[in-house]
Amino acid sequence: MSRHDDIKLLRVNYLRGPNMWTYRPVLETWLDLGALEDYPSNKVPGFTERLTAALPALAEHHCGVGERGGFLQRLVEGTWMGHVLEHVVIELLNLAGMPTGFGQTRSTSQHGVYRMVFRARDEQVARQALADGHALLMAVINGDAVDVPAAVERVRDKVDDCYLGPSTAAIVAAATDRRIPHIRLNDGNLVQLGHGARQRRIWTAETDMTSAIAEGIARDKDLTKSLLKAVGVPVPEGVVAKDADEAWAAAEDLGLPVVVKPSDGNHGRGVTLDLKKREDVAAAFEMAERHGSEVLVERYIPGNEHRLLVVGGQVVAAARGDEAFIVGDGKHTVLELTELQINSDPRRGVTEEFPLNRIDIAEDGVILLDLQRQGLSVDAVPEAGRRVLIQRNGNVAIDCTDEMHPEVAYAVSLAARTIGLDIAGVDMVSTDISKPLSETGGAIVEVNAGPGLLMHLKPAEGKPQPVGQAIIDHLFSSDESGRIPIVGITASQGGNNIARLVAWLLHLNGRHVGLSCSDGLFLGNRRVEHRRGARWEAAHRLLMNRGVDAVVAESNAAGILSDGLAYDRCAVGVVCDMGGLGSLDDHDIRSEDQLFKVLRTQIDVVLSDGVAVLNAAEPRLVEMAELSDGEVLLFALDGSNAALTAHRAKGGRAVFLQGGAAVLAQGQSETAGANVDALLKRFAAAGIQTDAATLLAAVATAWALHISPELISAGADTFVPELAA
């Protein structure tokens, strides 16, 4: 079998926002197939069989045929290897737990060179999937051995390193369901929800409404208990002990059995339960001391451990724990039985995706103490039928939300409010959550900030709870989207003048405006950066600025091709012309049809309650009107323009020039607007080149933003074209 040279990856570019391919970020790769251009899939002997043996789920891919098995059909009929690579990469992502269904491969004007794209939530994950997919495909082509599990593991490791944790991801998913945009602010779980002045921030299950004082109180378990006791929330009696002797004295005073735990620990570390003997209390004291600054001795509350999630003062989910036991068989050790009877449960694992944790006896001092109290060690062989307690807590993953008694919910909610946390995980012990704590003798033992959500999202038993949605509903009222008005302007020339004039009119309308254009970065009337490049980064930074409640962002075809748009949706999308073809050869955009696909991106992202502003003098731009989810507003110098006239006949809004002034028309109604001629003269006097169509586009955009004709006129009269040095 003759060997084929590697497919060359000529360039790899991550498009971070909406682009000519899709609304979402994608990884775009330019491929040179080389000699493989003459060897589609059906001309490489045994290729399809080897590929489907390595990746059987490729049979599920629909591809262009539109049904299950579509891609398999294309393989058999013959498809080029760039297209095959697309599907291999997508399948690796699916197997690694980051499913994606979007991909496209298109030829370029160069023989054997293709552009291949696929949906990619994270750039590093996408690059890893591309690298492994590329290597896997070449191995299959050449009949070499392939190790799919290893490739999947590398991609999965990159997902674990780079993607949001499950709690944060659930909140972000709930925000997406509400059409609330998000921006990841670091490599971890700090995420901005919404834009500008309307943003909120989360860090896992903490929010920008979470009180630092409340977090400090929650870390101090003794202080927490005293505050809860003061408002009538049942808590176990307890005292701080300075040494093992004090701990035993406290245990005798409180009454056995007792619990020994660190005063400021978390996640159950160093907590030992149901202690009845002096030597056990002493050993537990030593354990707790390693995990906290002080040691608490508390009265033992019988019952199951529960974790209840409070969001905005309401209990939204509850989970119950269960003790973990093994049963001796007279043959295997405690360690071996733990692996056979507990850790073999497929719900257990070491990553956050598993609802239950694997139990590592040798590393858990609390478990070793419990075994010691039962007269056993990890190497002991329990007799057949003997039931051995392995773990008392740490398995809180049985949903019991619907069982909760209203009085329990009230006490838990009061506990969170007393500490001052907007989101809290409240640990409670009770024999029966369906009864009031006064009947069961139950008590609240801890209140925690930044609680994990996984036990509620993916319980080991019971139904998942929509806790991400509860947090989003807490942060944003039902009529809030977290969005500020964004104006996206795409033009091959003059876009900066449109953007600056629109920003000025928004400023007069009472907005705190951020502006990104080729003249620089502006906050209000102040230019804070002079650089002309990196428009995507500049616009993106404005969306992160809490002082901004409107953004105007200029772009062009080259920017959309290089980076995508800096925002997911916009209130107003403006496309002014079909110019600039000659400057796009590097992107292989050489025809009006290709340019149309690029520029339509600006109109594709217009919100349903937004407006697309289009130049009626450009027939291809008029075609874009049907792509807008929102209203369409046309502008043209000539009021008798056929497209503009037809649009007005349907009751649409239009702006045109008459006697040197803008006319704002809706249907047959007309309103005099800005003096465009006078403004043109001021631009010329400032040595700035522009034309009437450019200024008319700015007037149309301002009207699309529902700025009044009177304010538009006054704003045009007071706009200063000159830029400060």
Side-chain angles (χ1 to χ4, degrees), residues 10 33-34 63 98 155 248 256 267 290 473 485 532 558 564 566 600 606 660 705 717:
L10 301 179
L33 298 187
C63 198
M98 186 175 274
V155 178
W248 176 244
L256 301 169
H267 300 292
R290 294 202 296 265
D473 291 345
R532 295 175 176 269
R600 66 167 285 180
V606 171
L705 288 161
D717 289 343

Side-chain angles (χ1 to χ4, degrees), residues 180-181 193-196 198-199 476 480-484:
I180 296 169
L193 304 172
H195 291 150
R198 295 183 185 172
Q199 68 178 272
F476 298 92
E480 286 184 307
S481 66
R483 295 184 181 276
I484 60 175

Side-chain angles (χ1 to χ4, degrees), residues 25 87 204 249 286 319 321 332 390 402 487 506 540 572 697:
H87 282 267
T204 312
E286 183 181 341
H332 295 91
I390 297 298
D402 295 338
V487 180
L506 275 168
H540 193 67
V572 178

Side-chain angles (χ1 to χ4, degrees), residues 318-550:
R320 182 177 69 250
D322 201 5
E323 295 171 324
F325 287 87
I326 57 172
V327 178
D329 60 4
K331 299 176 182 178
H332 295 91
T333 66
V334 168
L335 183 61
E336 291 168 339
L337 288 170
T338 301
E339 291 300 315
L340 290 170
Q341 298 179 11
I342 298 178
N343 286 337
S344 60
D345 188 335
R347 298 172 300 176
R348 291 187 181 273
V350 296
T351 62
E352 290 182 311
E353 66 184 275
F354 294 95
L356 298 173
N357 293 327
R358 281 180 56 84
I359 296 177
D360 190 347
I361 294 181
E363 298 297 326
D364 194 319
V366 172
I367 292 178
L368 293 175
L369 286 177
D370 272 330
L371 286 174
Q372 183 180 328
R373 289 158 58 196
Q374 297 171 83
L376 296 169
S377 68
V378 293
D379 298 320
V381 178
E383 61 268 25
R386 179 179 178 182
R387 199 161 182 256
V388 178
L389 175 66
I390 297 298
Q391 190 177 58
R392 294 178 183 271
N393 55 24
N395 294 282
V396 183
I398 302 170
D399 179 70
C400 56
T401 306
D402 295 338
E403 302 171 23
M404 183 171 41
H405 193 279
E407 289 190 24
V408 171
Y410 174 79
V412 169
S413 173
L414 177 58
R417 285 183 281 121
T418 299
I419 302 307
L421 291 170
D422 66 322
I423 299 176
V426 179
D427 291 340
M428 182 190 75
V429 177
S430 174
T431 55
D432 189 348
I433 196 174
S434 68
K435 297 177 181 178
L437 296 178
S438 58
E439 291 185 20
T440 63
I444 289 172
V445 295
E446 287 186 21
V447 180
N448 300 282
L453 305 181
L454 189 61
M455 65 188 72
H456 308 300
L457 295 166
K458 194 176 181 180
E461 296 179 28
K463 65 179 182 181
Q465 298 297 325
V467 293
Q469 178 183 328
I471 292 172
I472 290 300
D473 291 345
H474 162 60
L475 294 174
F476 298 92
S477 63
S478 59
D479 60 345
E480 286 184 307
S481 66
R483 295 184 181 276
I484 60 175
I486 297 173
V487 180
I489 298 166
T490 301
S492 66
Q493 54 185 1
N496 57 325
N497 295 327
I498 300 171
R500 288 187 54 227
L501 182 52
V502 169
W504 170 249
L505 295 171
L506 275 168
H507 165 72
L508 294 182
N509 202 40
R511 294 284 186 177
H512 298 284
V513 186
L515 165 62
S516 168
C517 68
S518 55
D519 287 334
L521 181 71
F522 298 77
L523 292 174
N525 296 325
R526 183 167 57 93
R527 180 159 60 170
V528 295
E529 286 185 10
H530 292 252
R531 61 178 182 169
R532 295 175 176 269
R535 294 187 203 173
W536 192 96
E537 288 84 355
H540 193 67
R541 283 159 49 206
L542 290 175
L543 299 179
M544 296 161 56
N545 191 319
R546 287 182 179 271
V548 168
D549 63 9

